[in-house]
Amino acid sequence: MLAYLIRRLFYALPILIGVNIITFALFFVVNTPDDMARMHLGAKRVTAEAIDKWKAERGYDKPLFWRSDAAGVDKVTDTIFFGKSVRMFALDFGRADDGRDIAREIRTRMGPSLAVAVPVFVLGLFSAISFALLLVYFRATYLDFAGVVLCVALMSISGLFYIIGGQWLVSKIWHLAPISGYAEGLSAAKFVILPVLISLIAGIGSSARWYRTIFLEEYTRDYVRTARAKGLPERLVLFRHVLRNALIPILTGAVVLIPTLFMGSLLIEAFFGIPGLGSYTIDAINAQDFAVVRAMVFIGSALYIVGLLLTDISYTLVDPRIRLQ
Amino acid sequence: MLQIKFVLLWSDLLFFVLIAAVVVGGVWAGRVEHLRLAWRQVGQSRVGMATATVLLAFVLVALLDSLHYRERLPGDQENYAVEVRSALDAALTGLRTRTEKTYSAPLATHLFVKESINKHAGPPQVFLGPLRGELRAAEFSGGDADADLGRDFPRLQHGGAHLGDDLAVHDSDIAAKAVKGLGLGLLGTLVFGLASLPLRRAAPHLAWNAQLVTVLVLCLLAGVAAVLAGDYHVLGTDKVGQDVLYLTLKSVRTAILIGTLTTLIMLPAAVLLGLLAGYAGGWIDDVIQYLYTTLNSIPGVLLIAASVLMMQVVIDTHPEWFATTAERADARFLALCAILGITSWTGLCRLLRGEVLKLRELEYVQAARALGVSHARILWRHVLPNVMHIVMIAIVMDFSGLVLAEAVLSYVGIGVDPNTISFGTMINTARMELAREPMVWWSLLAAFAFMFVLVLAANLFADVMRDAFDPRVVKR
């Protein structure tokens, strides 16, 4: 197991390097730092000094890969590629355009992101599985049909509509929850409840429908027929046999999402003013703060790779037929 | 002498290519037995026929909106207007040009916001006509009315202008026009039903009745909207007084194109790499797998955000590449499609690779290889046709997600050009209106409703397609 883990970590390394190279190419080769400076400084006629100053402030005034005028290791280390990209592996993300340390921002903003994302993940999984079970229990009836139609209708509505409509109805008309904002500690609950609720409604359509097909597929298996043949009541077949076996693909499929919960949700956080990583990213996109966007891309990819690893491990834990070598 | 000059934007060209490809593909599918059966199953499904009709109506709007031209300016020299218009613009000239000053509710006769009206200048009807320019600038905030000035809702320039002062007949006028529109819709359905009779005879098993009912609903809605739109703003006007119905119809093209072109752009790469990875194996497989795992591990929104930011810099630093703003917006639009395609091709590629891995070991492929058929020919003749159903299902399944994604991305500010009319930009400009009291709800609701119908139809159609084409779905 440990050997497998170590090997998998080594497999992950090239992917992370690939991500790094892609982001580097995207941010520094497609556009030169001069282009970015001109774009950032806005005006059509920007003096060369202003551009140089902008680049120097952000450390973009170095060669891309190779510094021929430096001595020794500095030839490689004192370049944009090393300074901006390679250092990310050491979780050194540099500073944002407003001068703040990105790594520190990320640490403080993780909490609010998790406060929304974790309840959404747990409750979403629970509600979608329950709803799918309900549909499967009443399968091939009008109730099932109506439920599937409801699912398709729910997933055809834009996420923006759920957010805007929910804010309008719950906060503005009913005055049940604040429209937006956030507070530390336990008082965060009243700010978090509406975004969580809206995310649940927005997500339940597609996931419940997906889980329903997984359950139905499990129903065609031989052991289900055997269970029925020996006279088990339908309820027991569903809960003791189908549910347990169908949970394996559902739960292992959800594991990949766990690390990415740290990233938060862009839309929900932006709309509800939650100071998490999602709204941080949105602000960075709007302010065209390339350093922050680059850092978020890197962290997001790293977390996704961790998620893939966790998925593999969870497979071996829940399904004894799978062995890792 | 032609008074217009046709303009072929890149996105138009690709859209036409796509439609031609669909037609060619349809003819090809008609010749192959198992595909013909699958299509018949789609046609026999009532949901399939109804949703296909709705989608076709949307595609028709998009197609009309893709025939671009530039008007010739008056004068001896051959000069053309900078503005690029489309056939849809020409058809909706009335809607496009009859702009109001600012918000007005659907079917309203008065502006939505109070303005200061100088009572001494004469009776209110004076302001309907050319003297409107004497009005003071609109004051949106509250405040006590000046002694000389009454604050009231001014009449609209176009909405209900034919009524004159006789506002008592407003409701009955709308009702009469609606009835007229319903009659027109009924007539349209009748004509359509008669015209499609030969088709009905040719293929009597298909769900023609479901299609006719859909056409009826569409025609009734279109008829009412068309008759009312002559004198009113059916869906109201937005902040700068543009007709919301016009904006929503224009948004259809953006939505349809983003849903289809994205897949079209990514399709060649996804199919080629998927086939190669599955068929060739070895280091080619490793490289391709590495490529899509790497791309896949970057969170989609972030990759799109980063790419769009970079593309913006490229477009902004090279203004000399584009002759008109339409071309610029079009380039940005296509770049967005390409970026969305890059982030979404990995799924299809992986599916194809898995399928080809299985196909490679089947007897008929082995037999072809034993007979000495070249690899390229095996891929083309034996493997590709047998994975086409995956490609087709992927295209229709991706469509609805892309339409929804466009709205979100435009909202975040990394979507289409702000000058391009789309559901996303409509929602984006309408979001501020929610804070107003009373609320301006119509442009938001119009965008969401059109999007909902389009995406719902696409989702249902995709389900029918998957049931018909996916051999793993058990046929009952």
Side-chain angles (χ1 to χ4, degrees):
Chain A
M1 186 76 179
L2 194 70
Y4 173 80
L5 273 187
I6 292 171
R7 208 171 61 229
R8 271 306 301 258
L9 278 176
F10 272 107
Y11 283 149
L13 209 59
I15 295 177
L16 218 47
I17 293 173
V19 170
N20 206 307
I21 291 175
I22 289 175
T23 43
F24 178 79
L26 209 56
F27 280 93
F28 293 104
V29 182
V30 175
N31 296 289
T32 61
D34 282 34
D35 286 338
M36 284 196 283
R38 218 167 279 132
M39 167 109 179
H40 238 266
L41 297 171
K44 288 265 180 211
R45 290 186 193 78
V46 190
T47 56
E49 293 90 69
I51 290 178
D52 287 340
K53 187 164 164 279
W54 189 88
K55 277 159 61 184
E57 276 172 5
R58 285 161 183 77
Y60 292 154
D61 54 346
K62 298 167 187 167
L64 282 183
F65 295 106
W66 187 254
R67 194 181 184 100
S68 47
D69 58 341
V73 197
D74 274 359
K75 272 189 199 299
V76 182
T77 54
D78 201 18
T79 58
I80 292 183
F81 181 68
F82 192 87
K84 299 290 170 194
S85 283
V86 179
R87 279 207 186 158
M88 282 196 187
F89 286 103
L91 299 184
D92 172 13
F93 301 112
R95 287 176 185 284
D97 278 352
D98 58 4
R100 294 194 199 168
D101 184 32
I102 296 178
R104 198 171 158 273
E105 284 283 307
I106 290 173
R107 274 197 299 279
T108 54
R109 281 168 176 270
M110 254 178 198
S113 275
L114 285 176
V116 177
V118 170
V120 169
F121 177 74
V122 176
L123 294 177
L125 211 55
F126 180 74
S127 58
I129 290 176
S130 316
F131 191 55
L133 269 180
L134 195 75
L135 294 184
V136 169
Y137 191 72
F138 290 103
R139 66 189 179 284
T141 63
Y142 279 107
L143 207 66
D144 177 32
F145 178 74
V148 175
V149 170
L150 181 72
C151 281
V152 177
L154 278 177
M155 61 191 268
S156 301
I157 297 173
S158 170
L160 294 169
F161 180 80
Y162 288 116
I163 298 175
I164 294 174
Q167 276 187 330
W168 175 73
L169 194 70
V170 177
S171 300
K172 210 171 157 192
I173 304 295
W174 293 345
H175 297 288
L176 288 181
I179 280 194
S180 72
Y182 191 74
E184 289 298 324
L186 278 180
S187 46
K190 74 169 189 229
F191 291 103
V192 161
I193 199 157
L194 183 60
V196 169
L197 195 72
I198 287 175
S199 310
L200 286 183
I201 297 173
I204 196 169
S206 53
S207 40
R209 204 171 73 122
W210 169 235
Y211 297 157
R212 177 181 165 272
T213 55
I214 292 180
F215 284 133
L216 285 181
E217 210 174 291
E218 206 62 32
Y219 253 113
T220 59
R221 299 285 166 86
D222 289 340
Y223 72 85
V224 177
R225 203 184 317 151
T226 313
R228 278 216 203 96
K230 73 184 185 196
L232 268 192
E234 195 61 32
R235 197 167 33 84
L236 280 186
V237 175
L238 181 63
F239 284 101
R240 190 175 290 169
H241 292 287
V242 173
L243 176 62
R244 282 194 193 170
N245 281 296
L247 273 184
I248 293 177
I250 292 176
L251 290 184
T252 45
V255 164
V256 72
L257 295 176
I258 291 177
T260 50
L261 293 180
F262 285 99
M263 302 291 290
S265 151
L266 296 187
L267 274 188
I268 290 279
E269 288 184 14
F271 264 97
F272 289 96
I274 290 163
L277 283 179
S279 54
Y280 188 50
T281 316
I282 289 261
D283 291 346
I285 291 170
N286 286 334
Q288 307 197 324
D289 191 332
F290 303 119
V292 177
V293 176
R294 219 168 51 230
M296 298 311 290
V297 168
F298 185 78
I299 297 175
S301 319
L303 289 175
Y304 179 80
I305 292 168
V306 172
L308 287 182
L309 199 63
L310 288 180
T311 310
D312 281 357
I313 296 171
S314 63
Y315 264 124
T316 53
L317 292 182
V318 296
D319 194 342
R321 285 170 299 182
I322 298 174
R323 290 234 172 74
L324 301 180
Q325 288 145 8
Chain B
M1 180 75 216
L2 203 58
Q3 288 304 299
I4 53 175
K5 182 167 88 173
F6 284 102
V7 179
L8 192 63
L9 297 178
W10 277 103
S11 57
D12 301 340
L13 183 75
L14 285 172
F15 191 45
F16 298 146
V17 167
L18 181 78
I19 286 176
V22 168
V23 171
V24 170
V27 171
W28 172 72
R31 291 221 207 110
V32 186
E33 180 63 28
H34 67 276
L35 288 179
R36 197 162 58 219
L37 283 177
W39 277 119
R40 191 175 297 159
Q41 195 189 331
V42 173
Q44 281 168 352
S45 138
R46 280 181 304 219
V47 179
M49 275 302 247
T51 49
T53 314
V54 174
L55 288 179
L56 269 182
F58 274 105
V59 169
L60 200 68
V61 173
L63 201 60
L64 274 181
D65 205 8
S66 295
L67 300 166
H68 283 104
Y69 67 92
R70 281 162 79 175
E71 245 167 65
R72 193 180 162 172
L73 294 175
D76 296 332
Q77 278 165 347
E78 208 170 324
N79 289 324
Y80 294 93
V82 190
E83 218 176 328
V84 178
R85 297 238 167 85
S86 72
L88 187 76
D89 290 329
L92 301 176
T93 305
L95 282 185
R96 196 184 74 235
T97 50
R98 283 200 297 269
T99 56
E100 305 291 345
K101 206 163 167 188
T102 179
Y103 300 118
S104 69
L107 301 174
T109 55
H110 289 78
L111 219 53
F112 189 66
V113 287
K114 284 189 174 176
E115 284 186 355
S116 304
I117 295 173
N118 193 339
K119 281 184 171 160
H120 292 308
Q125 66 265 30
V126 172
F127 298 110
L128 291 176
L131 285 176
R132 212 173 149 276
E134 289 181 359
L135 287 176
R136 293 235 179 134
E139 287 172 45
F140 292 133
S141 56
D144 289 331
D146 206 332
D148 287 345
L149 298 168
R151 289 184 59 80
D152 205 352
F153 301 107
R155 274 301 299 269
L156 293 181
Q157 263 184 303
H158 304 285
H162 65 294
L163 296 175
D165 274 343
D166 196 10
L167 290 178
V169 297
H170 183 200
D171 290 340
S172 56
D173 184 59
I174 290 176
K177 286 205 160 65
V179 170
K180 199 172 146 201
L182 289 177
L184 212 66
L186 221 52
L187 198 71
T189 316
L190 206 66
V191 171
F192 180 87
L194 286 176
S196 64
L197 265 183
L199 276 175
R200 243 171 206 269
R201 290 232 178 82
H205 299 301
L206 303 191
W208 293 111
N209 287 340
Q211 188 206 32
L212 204 62
V213 171
T214 318
V215 169
L216 178 70
V217 173
L218 287 178
C219 275
L220 289 182
L221 286 175
V224 172
V227 173
L228 281 174
D231 292 306
Y232 294 100
H233 299 288
V234 182
L235 298 178
T237 53
D238 73 349
K239 186 172 185 182
V240 289
Q242 279 180 298
D243 193 289
V244 173
L245 180 63
Y246 170 72
L247 292 178
T248 39
L249 285 175
K250 288 287 281 182
S251 306
V252 169
R253 174 182 187 262
T254 318
I256 295 265
L257 257 65
I258 211 138
T260 50
L261 288 192
T262 303
T263 2
L264 181 77
I265 290 175
M266 67 138 188
L267 208 53
V271 171
L272 190 74
L273 291 180
L275 289 188
L276 270 183
Y279 187 77
W283 65 271
I284 299 181
D285 189 18
D286 288 341
V287 168
I288 293 172
Q289 274 198 67
Y290 171 71
L291 201 65
Y292 69 62
T293 316
T294 307
L295 273 178
N296 209 22
S297 62
I298 304 177
V301 185
L302 287 174
L303 183 59
I304 294 168
S307 315
V308 170
L309 282 182
M310 288 303 112
M311 172 203 57
Q312 258 169 331
V313 178
V314 172
I315 288 181
D316 283 355
T317 45
H318 299 280
E320 71 276 4
W321 289 353
F322 313 105
T324 59
T325 50
E327 274 177 46
R328 201 179 123 132
D330 192 60
R332 194 178 152 163
F333 177 75
L334 275 185
L336 180 69
C337 286
I339 291 166
L340 278 172
I342 287 172
T343 52
S344 66
W345 68 273
T346 52
L348 179 62
C349 191
R350 187 171 13 205
L351 275 180
L352 286 175
R353 175 182 168 272
E355 189 69 20
V356 174
L357 272 179
K358 272 187 275 170
L359 286 180
R360 190 176 63 168
E361 304 304 327
L362 289 187
E363 285 87 353
Y364 68 91
V365 177
Q366 300 284 348
R369 207 178 295 160
L371 287 170
V373 181
S374 73
H375 289 308
R377 201 166 164 77
I378 289 178
L379 276 177
W380 180 250
R381 282 296 301 271
H382 300 293
V383 177
L384 186 62
N386 288 306
V387 296
M388 274 321 265
H389 67 276
I390 295 183
V391 175
M392 258 192 300
I393 294 170
I395 292 174
V396 280
M397 297 289 271
D398 281 354
F399 178 84
S400 50
L402 288 167
V403 173
L404 291 178
E406 186 274 327
V408 171
L409 291 179
S410 298
Y411 183 84
V412 178
I414 47 177
V416 296
D417 191 274
N419 295 320
T420 309
I421 302 173
S422 79
F423 291 130
T425 47
M426 272 181 78
I427 294 168
N428 199 10
T429 46
R431 65 174 161 167
M432 290 305 163
E433 298 158 3
L434 283 178
R436 295 175 61 93
E437 198 63 52
M439 203 166 79
V440 177
W441 46 268
W442 45 87
S443 44
L444 260 184
L445 208 64
F448 281 133
F450 267 69
M451 219 157 74
F452 175 65
V453 173
L454 177 63
V455 173
L456 184 65
N459 271 333
L460 291 174
F461 186 70
D463 277 1
V464 175
M465 281 272 289
R466 195 187 45 196
D467 288 350
F469 282 88
D470 195 340
R472 280 176 308 174
V473 174
V474 187
K475 304 240 165 81
R476 266 164 259 167

